[in-house]
Amino acid sequence: MSNMTYIGYEFKVKPVQPGVEILIAELGYSGFESFVETKNGVTAYIQKEDWNEAILEDIHILNSDEFEINFTFNEIEQTNWNQEWEKNFNPIVVDDVCTVRAPFHEKPGTKYDIIIEPKMSFGTGHHETTHMMIQHILKNDVANKSVLDMGCGTGVLAILAEMKGAKPIDAVDYDNWCYLNSIENVERNNCNHITVIEGDASVLKGKKYDVIIANINRNILLQDMETYVSCLNKKGTMFLSGFYNDDIPVIKEACNTNNLELRFQLERNNWVALEFKKK
């Protein structure tokens, strides 16, 4: 995986909203995994191995008369990735309490200051789902609770959980770059209670957690739900995101079947983040 290459698409969209929102939703279902909204549209990234020349054929909005959409695309080698992000990566502040920034940004005055150097990994806080998961962690007491950050991306959610007193914490991702990037970010934020693991749900066998954070996508959540629930302690909390408002019924049904009860819901630009409690 060391020569992983991404394809980056720059879309210009008129009108920008709701065009960008619809476009991101459709691209997400087609395998694009990272998005940066721009003034005139959105830049979307997909791993080259997941890309094919017909990748945009099922993106219906491109054929809509209601929107004017132009795009260019190019290959991005891993070595150019930081340069790509530095072009687009502004610090974000969640609820005036938590800042997610790159090392080259000024130190903020917020209670939590997370420094992330993204290297082709998803989870800078800019995406709606990461933003909402940060909100969930901020409003919940996780002190001295064992936490799983499943599909950890940059490790940002695991890092925030440790800053709020959680321990021990496992941060798991099957993507090699995410795994390596999370290790770097954990060290960069001086975390001592996070173990970063490369793998999928199969690495969870025999593990138990008080809190599970899973910001992945609908299909993987549904596929691995039983495994997550088997790892969740009684009266434990599970935060799920990576899907849209329309997906809530099928996610909720899978959770109810596994003795999970919906307690709280956040929504941002049609993306949702749900909080469930184990009965």
Side-chain angles (χ1 to χ4, degrees):
M1 307 237 345
S2 55
N3 340 324
M4 184 186 288
T5 304
Y6 272 61
I7 308 285
Y9 279 78
E10 282 193 34
F11 292 94
K12 290 187 175 170
V13 184
K14 286 185 192 172
V16 173
Q17 289 299 351
V20 165
E21 183 184 322
I22 298 166
L23 181 59
I24 287 175
E26 290 197 41
L27 292 171
Y29 279 125
S30 291
F32 284 79
E33 64 181 56
S34 198
F35 306 94
V36 178
E37 292 193 37
T38 60
K39 198 170 93 174
N40 301 315
V42 64
T43 306
Y45 300 97
I46 185 169
Q47 288 185 32
K48 189 177 180 182
E49 62 185 42
D50 296 331
W51 177 85
N52 62 71
E53 287 185 10
I55 192 86
L56 297 185
E57 280 185 7
D58 293 330
I59 309 300
H60 301 300
I61 188 173
L62 297 180
N63 302 314
S64 167
D65 296 334
E66 294 174 48
F67 301 95
E68 184 186 324
I69 302 177
N70 299 305
F71 65 87
T72 57
F73 68 94
N74 63 311
E75 283 192 16
I76 303 161
E77 292 290 342
Q78 200 276 335
T79 47
N80 299 330
W81 186 251
N82 285 357
Q83 189 185 333
E84 282 287 310
W85 274 106
E86 288 192 23
K87 247 178 14 186
N88 297 306
F89 186 30
N90 298 312
I92 66 145
V93 181
V94 180
D95 297 346
D96 297 322
V97 179
C98 177
T99 300
V100 182
R101 66 183 175 97
F104 52 85
H105 293 134
E106 281 183 30
K107 186 174 170 62
T110 52
K111 183 174 181 181
Y112 302 107
D113 174 26
I114 302 174
I115 301 170
I116 295 295
E117 180 95 65
K119 292 184 180 172
M120 283 197 173
S121 38
F122 187 58
T124 56
H126 287 76
H127 194 270
E128 283 84 349
T129 58
T130 314
H131 189 107
M132 289 184 291
M133 288 302 231
I134 290 172
Q135 289 181 298
H136 273 310
I137 297 168
L138 289 174
K139 75 174 184 61
N140 279 270
D141 177 14
V142 294
N144 296 310
K145 291 184 177 176
S146 53
V147 172
L148 167 65
D149 179 4
M150 191 70 196
C152 60
T154 56
V156 62
L157 300 177
I159 291 164
L160 178 59
E162 171 156 339
M163 288 179 173
K164 289 204 71 198
K167 60 183 176 184
I169 301 161
D170 286 341
V172 178
D173 206 297
Y174 75 93
D175 183 291
N176 183 252
W177 281 117
C178 292
Y179 165 71
L180 296 172
N181 191 210
S182 292
I183 290 173
E184 282 184 31
N185 289 327
V186 162
E187 289 172 359
R188 184 174 279 110
N189 289 276
N190 302 311
C191 295
N192 301 309
H193 302 290
I194 299 172
T195 304
V196 183
I197 301 166
E198 184 175 6
D200 56 18
S202 63
V203 304
L204 302 177
K205 195 171 179 185
K207 295 180 178 288
K208 286 286 185 186
Y209 304 96
D210 300 316
V211 178
I212 293 178
I213 303 161
N215 182 14
I216 311 181
N217 69 48
R218 182 190 114 141
N219 294 340
I220 292 178
L221 289 175
L222 293 172
Q223 170 192 301
D224 294 335
M225 185 68 70
E226 279 185 42
T227 305
Y228 301 154
V229 175
S230 69
C231 297
L232 188 62
N233 288 328
K234 197 170 181 184
K235 298 198 185 310
T237 304
M238 191 182 295
F239 300 107
L240 301 177
S241 195
F243 50 91
Y244 305 103
N245 198 304
D246 294 349
D247 298 319
I248 291 177
V250 66
I251 295 285
K252 196 174 165 188
E253 185 185 354
C255 289
N256 290 345
T257 306
N258 285 282
N259 278 331
L260 295 174
E261 184 182 14
L262 181 61
R263 300 294 287 275
F264 194 75
Q265 160 178 344
L266 292 171
E267 182 172 342
R268 193 176 172 87
N269 292 337
N270 205 33
W271 295 88
V272 289
L274 308 180
E275 175 187 337
F276 288 89
K277 201 88 173 167
K278 192 172 183 180
K279 294 176 187 173

